[in-house]
Amino acid sequence: MTQEKLTHNLFKNLVTSLALVLALGGFTQVAHATYAIPSTRAISWMGNAGVQGEIPVRSTIYTTLKPSGGDDAAAIKSAIANCPAGQVVQLSAGTFNVSSPIVVKSNVTLRGNGMGSTIIKGRSGMSGTSVVGIGSRPTVGSAIALTGGLNKGSTTITTATAHGWTPGTIIVIDQLNNVNDDPPVTNVGNNGTCSWCGRLSGTRSLGQTAKVVAVPSPTTATLEIPLYWSYDTSLSPQGVKLSGVTIQAGIEKLTVDNSLSGSSAQKSSGTLLLLGTSNCWVQDTEVIGAYEAILLLNYGAYRNTIRANKLHEGFPTTAGDGTTSYATSRAYGINSQMYSSANLIENNQIYHLSTGLITAGPFSGNVFAYNYITSLYLNVLNFNPYAISFHGSHAFMNLIEGNYIDSRVASDWVWGTKSHNTFFRNKIALAPNRTGGAWDIDLQVNSRYYNIIGNVLGRSTESLYTLEAQDAKTSAIYRLGYNNDGDGSATGNDINVANSVVRHGNWDTYSNAVTWNRSDDQTLPLSLYLTGKPTWWGGLQWPCIGPDVSPKYPAAPGAGKGTPWANGSVKVVSSPSLTSVK
């Protein structure tokens, strides 16, 4: 037994013995209240993520299309262009071949006959950077200085001059980076400067997307969701209008197949795109084949819902010696860049990709919940990929809840800082048979004020409970404050990562016990964003993961066979093999 494990077990025995002494002495235990994350470290996600009022159920069919056997792109585009607001373009069963991207406009639903039944298939050599999407890149307006109402929780902001916004306007709120702040905010990391991590070449990488719901005066605006952050007037906070945002559009019940059309034309893009979208959705949809990303959220994605989808298969690269691999910037799962806020990503299967969720640029106030991430690929075959990676500056106030993950989750130091993100009731274990990068939770330099609450962690192969400020490259449940994946030295590590993290009520395989944070309440909430069991939930216990339920997590079905808690809405279909793309 290692010295650390011996010390850890002695501490647990001491706590148990103290409790027994108090009981024998006539003391009664005080009932614990339900634990609440301190308000300075989190926001209210309940009711503030995903399509407002839920995804609408549209029953009016504008037209039904059948495959032609040729190029169906023009017919689908024409139907979408002419579809009245609030109606559906219905695609029948069969394969619709397309030679250019299909883009859904505002207030229209594109619906198929079900995953694997209706297939939109990109043709080899097709034009464009995606196969299917919602929206297009919005126009960014002139910056307007913000002067008041800037404290966290505020819903009314004040501008220095007349803003010209109207109810329904989508705006971006941001401020200048400050590497000397607490937490530090910068778009500079181990890989250099992230010019795409925010406006003005990434120098404004802390911010959020918001919706104006009222205009009390020419210089005030009321916001739909309270501010996530207390913005600092010395850092020049600004608001900018996004024009051309697509609203209330949806993609449902079909398969998007990129197996023939995947190519370098999709670099910096995704097989399925949501660009400048508000209250839009992708539901019960399968997406096959990622060149760079299987699904990209970008340019002010606000209050969208991505639910019950099956996202899988990435294109490998071919090296000069003929070997294939999944290299940098390839085969990502869900990729978010440039101001994504208040989105809900839940109950999706993500597998045979190089990561599950990766973020760059301001990613704030989002909920990533009850997703099943397994069987990830990586160019280094024995290394644990990032199942979730807060990657580019500056992700903050996001909730990661109830996910079933077979690999490492990380907040890295590649393109800058991150802070104030919460992992709650997740099952996180290292990938089977991978010994490199063997840290279940890896918070690197300048990842501050994280909350790790009520999770079930580990695969019984970890050598330490916490790897921190020491010269070692061993496996551990937690690795805190290191500079990069290859850093095995204590030199230059960030002790403030460990000093600022809250770890409470987590069960791990190393300790074989629950570790609590001092005297904090030991009754955990059932959820941090749901008021009760969701309507799509199956027959399993609710909640399904945690140290306070039995068993602590459900059995996983394996890649491609549904989430452990699916109610049967996700259909299993066979997947095409993907050829490698140079």
Side-chain angles (χ1 to χ4, degrees), residues 83 103 203 358 369 397 464:
C83 184
V103 180
T203 60
I358 188 166
M397 298 295 177
L464 291 174

Side-chain angles (χ1 to χ4, degrees), residues 27 167 294 426 504 523:
F27 293 90
I294 202 88
N426 301 282
H504 181 59
T523 300

Side-chain angles (χ1 to χ4, degrees), residues 210-381:
K211 181 179 180 180
V212 175
V213 293
V215 180
S217 76
T219 57
T220 58
T222 302
L223 306 178
E224 179 182 48
I225 295 175
L227 291 181
Y228 304 146
W229 198 260
S230 289
Y231 292 87
D232 186 342
T233 54
S234 71
L235 297 176
S236 182
Q238 295 177 343
V240 297
K241 177 182 177 179
L242 299 180
S243 299
V245 172
T246 299
I247 63 170
Q248 290 288 319
I251 297 171
E252 303 172 356
K253 299 183 179 180
L254 51 82
T255 288
V256 178
D257 187 347
N258 192 34
S259 58
L260 295 180
S261 48
S263 73
S264 58
Q266 295 168 359
K267 182 174 173 58
S268 302
S269 187
T271 304
L272 194 152
L273 302 181
L274 272 71
L275 301 182
T277 54
S278 172
N279 285 272
C280 295
W281 62 94
V282 179
Q283 181 170 251
D284 294 314
T285 292
E286 179 184 33
V287 187
I288 302 171
Y291 181 85
E292 181 156 324
I294 202 88
L295 190 154
L296 177 66
L297 289 169
N298 210 351
Y299 296 105
Y302 174 75
R303 287 209 79 148
N304 303 291
T305 297
I306 300 168
R307 177 188 293 145
N309 303 296
K310 186 174 176 180
L311 311 173
H312 62 106
E313 308 309 319
F315 289 98
T317 57
T318 301
D321 60 1
T323 59
T324 59
S325 66
Y326 291 80
T328 304
S329 299
R330 291 294 288 275
Y332 291 156
I334 297 173
N335 184 11
S336 178
Q337 298 184 352
M338 289 297 288
Y339 299 101
S340 295
S341 294
N343 298 289
L344 174 59
I345 303 168
E346 69 177 3
N347 193 31
N348 301 286
Q349 304 176 52
I350 304 173
Y351 63 95
H352 292 177
L353 295 160
S354 64
T355 190
L357 170 70
I358 188 166
T359 72
F363 183 81
S364 55
N366 301 284
V367 174
F368 185 84
Y370 302 98
N371 300 288
Y372 177 37
I373 306 175
T374 190
S375 301
L376 297 179
Y377 296 149
L378 195 66
N379 54 322
V380 182
L381 297 180

Side-chain angles (χ1 to χ4, degrees), residues 61-129:
I61 307 297
Y62 165 64
T63 188
T64 299
L65 301 179
K66 295 182 179 180
S68 67
D71 186 355
D72 295 302
I76 299 173
K77 290 178 184 181
S78 177
I80 291 171
N82 293 300
C83 184
Q87 295 189 23
V88 178
V89 172
Q90 179 73 50
L91 302 182
S92 69
T95 299
F96 294 78
N97 297 295
V98 297
S99 60
S100 58
I102 304 301
V103 180
V104 185
K105 70 175 185 178
S106 290
N107 300 301
V108 168
T109 298
L110 179 65
R111 180 182 297 155
N113 194 53
M115 289 187 205
S117 177
T118 299
I119 301 169
I120 298 178
K121 188 167 186 174
R123 286 184 155 186
S124 177
M126 74 175 289
S127 64
T129 61

